[in-house]
Each structure stands twice: as structure tokens, then as C-alpha cells.
Amino acid sequence: MRSTKYIYMLLLVLILILVLYDHLTSPVMTSVSSPSEIGKSCAPCGAPCLDD
């Protein structure tokens, strides 16, 4: 009875590690750029500069 508890805990930890690994190695994270790389933007959100 006690060994099945440890097996379930081990499986849960392994699943959580795999989910975390998949999340951290997602290719979406490499496509995120900082606002300074957008082009002519003044605001941190990427809003364009207003030339007067």
C-alpha cells in the first residue's frame, strides 16, 4: 500500500517536470522581442512616435 503512494508521487513529479520543461523550451519564447526592436516606437507598449 505504501509503495503505490510513492509511485503516484513519483509519476506526478515526473509529469510536472515534463510540463515545466515543455513550457520553458517552447519556441514561442524566442519570437518575443523587446519594444526597442519593433522600430520607431516611443512607448514601452510599441506605440508609434508622434512627430510634431
Side-chain angles (χ1 to χ4, degrees):
M1 180 76 175
R2 194 168 182 188
S3 64
T4 57
K5 179 181 174 182
Y6 289 119
I7 290 172
Y8 287 132
M9 286 176 37
L10 180 65
L11 285 174
L12 181 64
V13 169
L14 287 175
I15 289 171
L16 289 175
I17 289 172
L18 287 174
V19 168
L20 184 64
Y21 175 76
D22 182 54
H23 173 70
L24 292 177
T25 59
S26 174
V28 174
M29 296 301 288
T30 59
S31 67
V32 175
S33 64
S34 66
S36 63
E37 296 175 0
I38 292 176
K40 295 182 73 179
S41 62
C42 294
C45 64
C49 296
L50 298 175
D51 295 331
D52 290 327

